[in-house]
Amino acid sequence: MKRKIIILLFILFANIIHVYSQQIIPAENGFLVTAEVIDGDTVPSITLPNIYVFKPLVFKNNRERKAYYKLVRDVKKTLPIAMEVNRAIIETYEYLQTIPDKKDRDKHLKRVEKGLKEQYTPRMKKMTFAQGKLLIKLINRETSSSSYELVKAFIGPFKAGLYQTFAALFGASLKKEYHPEDEDQLTERVVLLVESGQL
């Protein structure tokens, strides 16, 4: 009988130790990370963010320095909006694929257009002209389509032409494209640094 109790206590004690050993207890000066088992060994698995290293910028004068920091400010303000627009386009497109009737798709697009206007008009009013032009380019960067093409695809060619004409009155163009290797090289540098959290 005594032997059975000792064996039972041993099994119970072993189970308790096993349960506590499976719990993750955070270290005081460390980080919790996921792990992978590779060839029988448990190896920490950490995904590191991209770190971009560029040649230091050399400004010819104070005016160039101010222009650069203005670009940084404008990218930080407009890039999140361009990313939101990209997500909204993907979600809208995916949802439209589930609607079989053209009439219902048109109704949904009108609701989306109204919702986007309500959501973004107050934010757009707070933007400068330069930020608006930058936003058009960043939308092209995020979606691989010009703003004109997006408006034309979702709302129709008439409204796309109307918006393009309105933008042209102010010296902008919805057809403007983003060229990271050429004219938008500095902007691309700033965007990458902002996305990686380095700026």
Side-chain angles (χ1 to χ4, degrees):
M1 178 76 172
K2 191 174 180 183
R3 191 173 191 203
K4 288 182 181 177
I5 292 175
I6 292 173
I7 292 173
L8 185 64
L9 287 174
F10 177 75
I11 292 172
L12 184 63
F13 184 69
N15 283 333
I16 290 171
I17 289 174
H18 179 71
V19 168
Y20 280 108
S21 68
Q22 295 300 313
Q23 290 182 347
I24 299 172
I25 301 170
E28 284 185 29
N29 298 320
F31 298 95
L32 292 177
V33 296
T34 57
E36 293 182 32
V37 178
I38 301 172
D39 296 329
D41 289 335
T42 304
V43 179
S45 174
I46 303 169
T47 304
L48 298 174
N50 290 334
I51 301 294
Y52 297 96
V53 179
F54 295 102
K55 250 173 68 175
L57 289 174
V58 178
F59 301 107
K60 293 178 186 172
N61 52 37
N62 201 31
R63 184 177 174 189
E64 276 190 6
R65 182 184 310 280
K66 285 182 180 179
Y68 173 74
Y69 287 112
K70 181 181 177 292
L71 176 64
V72 171
R73 180 199 68 198
D74 291 349
V75 166
K76 284 182 175 183
K77 186 169 186 175
T78 57
L79 184 61
I81 296 172
M83 290 175 164
E84 288 173 26
V85 167
N86 186 36
R87 279 192 299 273
I89 288 167
I90 292 169
E91 288 170 6
T92 302
Y93 179 77
E94 287 175 352
Y95 185 73
L96 285 175
Q97 299 304 308
T98 65
I99 303 174
D101 186 26
K102 185 183 182 329
K103 187 177 178 183
D104 291 336
R105 281 196 301 267
D106 291 342
K107 281 182 183 177
H108 179 70
L109 282 174
K110 284 184 181 179
R111 283 194 303 267
V112 168
E113 181 184 8
K114 183 181 177 188
L116 289 174
K117 282 182 180 177
E118 288 173 0
Q119 182 179 358
Y120 289 105
T121 299
R123 291 167 77 179
M124 298 293 178
K125 285 183 178 179
K126 294 178 182 176
M127 283 187 182
T128 65
F129 181 69
Q131 289 170 345
K133 288 174 78 172
L134 179 62
L135 178 61
I136 290 170
K137 285 192 166 199
L138 291 179
I139 287 173
N140 179 244
R141 178 187 186 270
E142 293 298 314
T143 63
S144 301
S145 299
S146 70
S147 297
Y148 177 80
E149 292 168 341
L150 294 172
V151 173
K152 185 178 175 183
F154 284 99
I155 303 176
F158 177 73
K159 283 195 176 179
L162 186 69
Y163 291 153
Q164 172 61 18
T165 304
F166 185 72
L169 289 173
F170 293 97
S173 173
L174 297 179
K175 296 179 181 179
K176 206 74 163 147
E177 293 184 355
Y178 187 76
H179 302 284
E181 294 86 23
D182 190 27
E183 64 189 63
D184 298 313
Q185 196 172 13
L186 185 61
T187 304
E188 180 67 10
R189 173 182 172 144
V190 172
V191 168
L192 291 173
L193 292 172
V194 168
E195 285 179 334
S196 68
Q198 291 175 257
L199 269 179

